[in-house]
Structure formats: C-alpha cells, structure tokens
C-alpha cells in the first residue's frame, strides 16, 4: 500500500501551497454556505438550486483533478467530495433550523463531482500546471 503522501501528491507546481490553499478555501466556502442562514437572499426559481449544487461540486472536483498527481488520489478526493455533499445535506436537516436536507441536492452534488472527475479524460486536466509554469518568475 502506497504511503498517504504519495497517494495525495500534488502535481509539480511552482506554488503548490497556494493552489492547495485556494482549493481548501473553496471547500471551506461550500461548507459554510451550506450551513449558514441564507433566508435573507432573494428566492431562486424552483429547481435552480440543483444547478448551483452541480456547479459548486463540479468546480471543486475539477479543481482537485488539477491539483493531485495520481489517479488514485483524484478518485479518493472525488469520493470524499461526494461524502462531503451527502454529509452536508444531513447536517442541513439536523443542525440548522433554516435549511432542510434534500436528497436531490446530494444527487446534484454527486453528479457535479463526477463531471469534475471526467476532466481527467480531457487535456484540461493539466491547465493549472500550465498556468503555474507561465506564472513562474524568470530566473536571472
């Protein structure tokens, strides 16, 4: 069995902590926004929140595919994102008075994760690595 550090190794970025930190910040934002009272916001059309769930988890998942170097690491992170989405739905139903659990939200989260995971099969999976290389300061 490979050590955890090898499974979750990042791609060879010039600024790995920056990219990982931004991704973790995005994960934290999704957690907070899933649990805070949003009743003061204008209502959204029926069912459009499913698109928001899909997009949020799709972006988190696609970003993770940009970060992690091994397919195994990417698959584990995708599974963890699915678990996060399901757990947050339970948390909304049990820990908040203004939110409710919705299995369709959990499904939208899961489909978003799968869409992000599918980027591994495209040339897009190295986009952040290319951007990071272009942002690397020139050596004198």
């Amino acid at each position: 069995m490979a050590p955890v550090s090898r499974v979750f190794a990042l791609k060879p970025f010039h600024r790995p902590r920056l990219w990982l930190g931004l991704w973790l910040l995005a994960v934290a934002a999704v957690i907070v926004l899933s649990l805070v009272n949003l009743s003061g916001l204008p209502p959204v059309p029926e069912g459009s929140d499913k698109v928001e769930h899909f997009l949020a988890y799709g972006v988190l998942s696609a970003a993770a595919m940009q970060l992690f170097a091994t397919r195994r690491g990417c698959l584990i992170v995708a599974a963890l994102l699915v678990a996060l989405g399901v757990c947050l739905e339970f948390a909304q139903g049990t820990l908040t008075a203004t939110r409710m659990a919705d299995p369709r939200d959990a499904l939208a989260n899961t489909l978003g994760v799968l869409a992000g995971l599918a980027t591994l099969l495209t040339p897009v999976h190295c986009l952040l690595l290319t951007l990071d290389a272009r942002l690397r300061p020139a050596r004198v």
Side-chain angles (χ1 to χ4, degrees):
M1 190 156 112
V4 172
S5 62
R6 196 171 316 148
V7 171
F8 292 109
L10 298 178
K11 292 179 180 175
F13 295 111
H14 178 64
R15 300 171 184 87
R17 289 185 178 145
L18 170 68
W19 302 123
L20 181 61
L22 289 173
W23 181 72
L24 290 172
L25 187 64
V27 171
V30 166
I31 293 169
V32 169
L33 290 171
S34 295
L35 298 175
V36 298
N37 182 355
L38 298 176
S39 62
L41 295 177
V44 295
E46 183 70 30
S48 69
D49 67 312
K50 307 307 176 253
V51 175
E52 293 169 357
H53 282 265
F54 177 85
L55 291 174
Y57 281 83
V59 168
L60 288 179
S61 179
M65 302 311 115
Q66 296 290 315
L67 291 173
F68 296 99
T70 67
R71 289 202 183 243
R72 185 173 180 195
C74 288
L75 290 172
I76 292 170
V77 168
L80 290 172
L81 286 172
V82 169
L84 175 67
V86 171
C87 288
L88 284 174
E89 286 304 314
F90 280 114
Q92 285 179 347
T94 58
L95 300 178
T96 69
T98 58
R99 309 290 293 266
M100 59 186 218
D102 184 349
R104 293 171 298 172
D105 287 348
L107 176 61
N109 298 344
T110 301
L111 293 174
V113 170
L114 292 175
L117 182 63
T119 63
L120 279 179
L121 305 174
T122 71
V124 172
H125 76 281
C126 287
L127 188 62
L128 186 58
L129 195 58
T130 303
L131 175 66
D132 183 71
R134 288 187 179 173
L135 295 176
R136 175 175 276 160
R139 291 190 174 174
V140 179

